[in-house]
Amino acid sequence: MPKLGQNQYGKAETRVVRMVRDGAVHHIKDLNVSVALSGEMSDVHLSGSNANVLPTDTTKNTVYAFAKEHGIESAEQFGIHLARHFVTSQEPIHSARIRIEEYAWERIGTTGGAQHSFVRKGQEVRTAQIAYDGERWEVLAGLKDLTVMNSTDSEFWGYVKDKYTTLKEARDRVLATEVHARWRYGWSDDARPMPDWDHDWAEARGHLLSAFAETYSLSLQQTLYQMGARVIERRPEVDEIRLSLPNKHHFPVDLAPFGLKNDNEVYFAADRPYGLIEATVLRDGAEATIPTD
């Protein structure tokens, strides 16, 4: 006899751009918001009754209305406003999950002093996920597509070799990766002060970059752990961080057929296949909850 399992529904990837005009100085918040709602939804699946269903079009409209009514202070704060609204305003909805990507813009300097021209930043995408069940919060912050490289201070040798191994040991190699990180804040209930979302995100990002730059790497796994550990050690509001680091391989090109010596100067940047290193770093006593997806 089949039965209905875990289910959710909502509107995915609602793009909302909030413009704040402070006189001649303008500010942009550019978000991609996905809403997922869960609760008493058995009837709509089993009999087609929509009596408990808030239309996904309504969730889209709510995103736009809240951008006006509440503004967008930060991705996390905006997600908290939305999640609380859906759970507390609709009795059949027991939990809400809000996923947000934020696209950053920076000002274009002009000789005339205008502050309304921007260029889209290409460094990374800020991410946030907010889950609320009416009592407890889970807030994940993070980033993706942050491409970094160390042109030296990286080795890879002493690994297992079998009859299929052709990779040569490297005592000086390029280490490049595209950082995908998510971290979970210890804040989980309204009785405690919220973190300073923008400040704490910037601090965590800075620690990730500093650890990447300052670690003499014998493996990408070692670098990953140092990056996660730096955040846990220096940001007390973070209990857990999950990192996914693809190895953006740079292979030295064989220039011998042309009578040339390649002294770690010319590389082939391979886009696939690539090694993928993933791990979670936890504060002592914390449990891992960040999903691997």
Side-chain angles (χ1 to χ4, degrees):
M1 182 71 177
K3 66 177 182 179
L4 179 66
Q6 191 278 335
N7 61 87
Q8 61 193 33
Y9 81 102
K11 186 72 82 176
E13 300 200 36
T14 297
R15 284 297 302 273
V16 56
V17 177
R18 177 66 157 95
M19 201 76 65
V20 175
R21 292 175 169 84
D22 184 12
V25 180
H26 296 180
H27 307 272
I28 296 175
K29 284 289 188 178
D30 185 353
L31 306 184
N32 187 23
V33 182
S34 294
V35 176
L37 307 176
S38 300
E40 299 173 20
M41 300 296 159
S42 296
D43 287 349
V44 67
H45 288 90
L46 302 180
S47 68
S49 170
N50 293 314
N52 288 344
V53 175
L54 182 72
T56 65
D57 189 67
T58 303
T59 68
K60 175 204 69 179
N61 294 340
T62 305
V63 169
Y64 293 134
F66 270 42
K68 169 62 178 178
E69 294 175 348
H70 297 278
I72 301 176
E73 178 183 331
S74 67
E76 293 86 354
Q77 188 67 58
F78 189 63
I80 286 170
H81 285 313
L82 288 169
R84 180 182 282 118
H85 166 77
F86 289 125
V87 172
T88 59
S89 67
Q90 302 295 327
E91 186 175 346
I93 296 175
H94 298 167
S95 63
R97 186 196 69 206
I98 314 296
R99 285 179 171 168
I100 298 176
E101 296 178 343
E102 179 176 349
Y103 311 113
W105 295 78
E106 61 185 0
R107 299 186 189 282
I108 299 174
T110 64
T111 56
Q115 299 193 57
H116 59 263
S117 299
F118 301 84
V119 58
R120 169 78 178 271
K121 283 187 177 180
Q123 291 177 300
E124 78 274 339
V125 174
R126 179 173 172 174
T127 63
Q129 176 175 305
I130 297 89
Y132 182 54
D133 64 3
E135 296 181 0
R136 307 290 290 179
W137 295 93
E138 182 183 73
V139 179
L140 309 180
L143 53 85
K144 65 179 184 177
D145 303 331
L146 178 60
T147 303
V148 293
M149 175 190 290
N150 284 330
S151 57
T152 189
D153 287 352
S154 176
E155 305 180 18
F156 188 59
W157 52 273
Y159 44 81
V160 174
K161 302 178 182 67
D162 66 11
K163 65 180 182 179
Y164 301 113
T165 302
T166 60
L167 185 69
K168 295 180 180 179
E169 294 188 341
R171 303 284 175 159
D172 185 8
R173 68 169 183 168
V174 169
L175 182 67
T177 188
E178 190 174 87
V179 181
H180 181 188
R182 287 182 289 174
W183 53 90
R184 175 172 57 82
Y185 291 103
W187 179 80
S188 60
D189 63 80
D190 290 311
R192 300 167 56 192
M194 288 186 191
D196 183 339
W197 303 115
D198 283 345
H199 173 268
D200 294 345
W201 182 89
E203 288 289 305
R205 177 187 183 275
H207 289 310
L208 290 170
L209 291 176
S210 295
F212 178 82
E214 296 169 9
T215 299
Y216 190 104
S217 180
L218 298 177
S219 68
L220 186 51
Q221 286 91 332
Q222 177 195 18
T223 298
L224 179 153
Y225 180 78
Q226 291 300 319
M227 293 169 72
R230 180 82 63 102
V231 173
I232 294 296
E233 290 168 354
R234 304 196 185 188
R235 298 310 310 169
E237 69 278 1
V238 176
D239 281 352
E240 172 189 4
I241 180 167
R242 179 167 181 81
L243 289 152
S244 177
L245 303 183
N247 199 333
K248 310 294 271 187
H249 299 294
H250 286 65
F251 298 113
V253 177
D254 181 10
L255 300 179
F258 320 123
L260 300 173
K261 180 181 179 181
N262 189 359
D263 189 16
N264 286 333
E265 298 169 293
V266 180
Y267 297 87
F268 166 62
D271 65 344
R272 65 194 67 179
Y274 53 85
L276 181 59
I277 312 303
E278 299 179 296
T280 298
V281 182
L282 301 164
R283 187 171 303 283
D284 190 26
E287 295 184 1
T289 63
I290 298 178
T292 58
D293 63 324

